[in-house]
Amino acid sequence: MLEAGINPMAKITAAAGVRRPAVMIRSSPWKAGSEQTPWHDVFDLDNGHVRYFGDHKFDTAKPLGSTTGNAALLEVFDGHQAPTAAGRAAAAPLLLFRSVSRNGKVKGHVEFCGVGLIERAERVVQWAGRARTTFTNYVFDLAVIDLAAEGDKLDWEWITARRVASRSDAEVLELAPTAWREWVKRGHSVLPRVRRRVARSRVIKVRDQRPASGSTAETDLEAVYRRFDGDKHAFEALASAVAARVMRASGHSYTEGWLTRRSGDGGADFVGRLDLGSGLAGTKLVVLGQAKCIKPDSLVSAEQIARVVARLRRGWIGVYVTTGSYSEPAQLEMVEDQYPVVLINGQDLVKELREIALEDHGGDLSGCVEHLLNSRPLEVLNRRPEEILLG
């Protein structure tokens, strides 16, 4: 029923020894700062971190660490610090819950916040509020693991299996989330990789940015790369056309501007304008584009994207078009720092070109590419990007 803040499940005796199935933790934000709960738990779920205070209070008669909740968490902490995979396999997971309001009522409802393990435990001195005294308690720093491989869901069968004495730790581990199994195998060294980070869910793996081996798309991409390898300005014009198609697909008006000069472009290869709304309810945004024709198996790094970002002013956005893919660290940095940049990888590039070819050129990709270059040549101008707002 999660009536207490810390709710340890009863232990069972398995073949390898005593095992606690799980410890369920509930935080009640509406109580924080009260005489009953003078501390403030921190749930930073976007970055996979929870700071949770134990259940020792100023009027607790028991010695520090002997209350039901703190004793259970300190025991779990020992398991989470186990130096061997076998020891970590037996360790109890923490199931995190937080009280939420429903229909104006603050009591009676909780939401599941994830699966955690204890990174650190420390003693802290706290102020007891109206009691006007201090007391000592434990605070626990928890790492919330990533459940992306499970669709951000927890299969309760894992916890059920941990309650069955006849099932070994190894058998039970097979039902655990992928990130938990990885932690059991390698220990705390993998926490940066298995910790929950919301930004990571928006990162596309490199293999998913590339066409399938032997596919028509792979052949198309290779053909585009060969056509423009060594012909930088021609690829910039093609990238401008593809960027325009992507922008217009959102239903907004987009105007292609010009290509920048061949050297000293400062991180921008083409310029465009995105029009949102109309009249007093409208605005115009400068679009700076970067085009990079590289081998299809090459990666664009965070530093390369940063060149475009460095040129952006308030109200401007960037577009990066490449025949390669974007590294995962580059995507993660872009998402976390909220860079206003649209990324078009090689797979998306040939997808857009193939659609144009099917619509207007009978499926002839090569003819489509040459038509795009010859029918709408862009001028190469040495103008300030903001001048496009005057058009």
Side-chain angles (χ1 to χ4, degrees):
M1 298 297 292
L2 300 182
E3 292 180 353
I6 304 171
N7 303 267
M9 286 186 173
K11 298 178 182 178
I12 57 99
T13 303
V18 175
R19 179 174 71 214
R20 190 186 294 280
V23 174
M24 293 179 288
I25 288 178
R26 175 181 58 80
S27 179
S28 300
W30 56 275
K31 287 185 178 180
S34 66
E35 185 174 348
Q36 182 182 4
T37 309
W39 50 80
H40 294 258
D41 298 327
V42 177
F43 275 58
D44 182 9
L45 301 180
D46 286 356
N47 294 300
H49 175 253
V50 169
R51 188 166 175 82
Y52 190 84
F53 288 85
D55 61 350
H56 198 96
K57 301 178 182 179
F58 76 94
D59 57 353
T60 301
K62 295 181 179 180
L64 180 65
S66 62
T67 53
T68 302
N70 277 348
L73 290 183
L74 290 172
E75 178 188 80
V76 169
F77 180 51
D78 287 339
H80 291 172
Q81 297 297 313
T84 65
R88 292 189 292 272
L94 303 181
L95 307 182
L96 311 177
F97 296 85
R98 181 168 54 183
S99 298
V100 293
S101 299
R102 287 292 183 270
N103 300 320
K105 297 180 179 180
V106 296
K107 295 184 179 181
H109 299 276
V110 296
E111 66 177 0
F112 176 61
C113 297
V115 178
L117 53 89
I118 303 176
E119 292 186 88
R120 288 175 295 276
E122 61 178 307
R123 295 184 180 186
V124 293
V125 176
Q126 295 180 258
W127 178 249
R130 284 184 293 177
R132 304 193 64 79
T133 186
T134 59
F135 67 101
T136 306
N137 192 13
Y138 277 100
V139 64
F140 302 88
D141 285 301
L142 317 179
V144 185
I145 67 167
D146 187 11
L147 296 178
E150 292 74 30
D152 273 333
K153 297 178 181 178
L154 175 67
D155 188 347
W156 194 256
E157 184 59 31
W158 174 41
I159 306 302
T160 298
R162 290 185 58 85
R163 299 173 62 192
V164 179
S166 61
R167 306 195 69 167
S168 67
D169 292 340
E171 287 180 301
V172 169
L173 187 59
E174 293 179 2
L175 300 172
T178 301
W180 185 270
R181 295 200 305 270
E182 184 70 8
W183 168 76
V184 167
K185 182 179 180 180
R186 304 185 185 279
H188 276 29
S189 64
V190 300
L191 278 184
R193 195 146 47 89
V194 302
R195 184 189 298 273
R196 182 180 193 267
R197 292 175 74 179
V198 170
R200 191 181 287 121
S201 66
R202 295 175 58 188
V203 171
I204 300 175
K205 293 185 179 299
V206 171
R207 65 173 181 268
D208 295 331
Q209 298 180 61
R210 292 171 175 166
S213 178
S215 66
T216 301
E218 183 184 50
T219 303
D220 290 345
L221 182 56
E222 187 63 34
V224 170
Y225 166 69
R226 289 197 305 269
R227 165 63 179 83
F228 293 101
D229 184 27
D231 195 353
K232 175 184 175 182
H233 251 50
F235 182 72
E236 291 169 0
L238 182 76
S240 178
V242 171
R245 180 180 173 87
V246 170
M247 292 293 188
R248 290 167 184 154
S250 63
H252 300 296
S253 175
Y254 181 81
T255 302
E256 289 185 79
W258 58 85
L259 302 181
T260 62
R261 59 190 180 185
R262 293 178 181 272
S263 60
D265 58 27
D269 293 323
F270 60 89
V271 177
R273 189 186 76 225
L274 185 65
D275 298 341
L276 305 177
S278 61
L280 293 177
T283 188
K284 299 178 180 180
L285 305 179
V286 173
V287 178
L288 290 188
Q290 178 75 28
K292 190 69 66 175
C293 184
I294 56 179
K295 292 182 178 180
D297 60 354
S298 299
L299 294 177
V300 174
S301 68
E303 291 76 13
Q304 291 170 303
I305 296 177
R307 289 191 66 211
V308 177
V309 175
R311 288 290 309 277
L312 299 180
R313 299 181 185 177
R314 172 179 267 177
W316 293 15
I317 64 174
V319 181
Y320 204 115
V321 184
T322 182
T323 48
S325 305
Y326 299 96
S327 72
E328 293 177 33
Q331 295 178 71
L332 191 60
E333 180 176 316
M334 196 189 78
V335 173
E336 290 183 332
D337 292 342
Q338 298 182 3
Y339 292 153
V341 179
V342 176
L343 303 182
I344 301 174
N345 57 41
Q347 181 171 244
D348 292 336
L349 173 68
V350 295
K351 173 179 174 290
E352 297 295 336
L353 291 175
R354 175 57 66 184
E355 289 180 358
I356 298 173
L358 290 173
E359 292 169 3
D360 303 324
H361 302 279
D364 179 7
L365 182 66
S366 178
C368 165
V369 168
E370 297 307 320
H371 179 77
L372 286 174
L373 295 178
N374 296 326
S375 64
R376 33 166 306 291
L378 294 178
E379 292 185 277
V380 179
L381 301 175
N382 184 19
R383 297 172 58 186
R384 298 195 308 272
E386 57 267 31
E387 291 182 48
I388 197 170
L389 298 176
L390 304 176

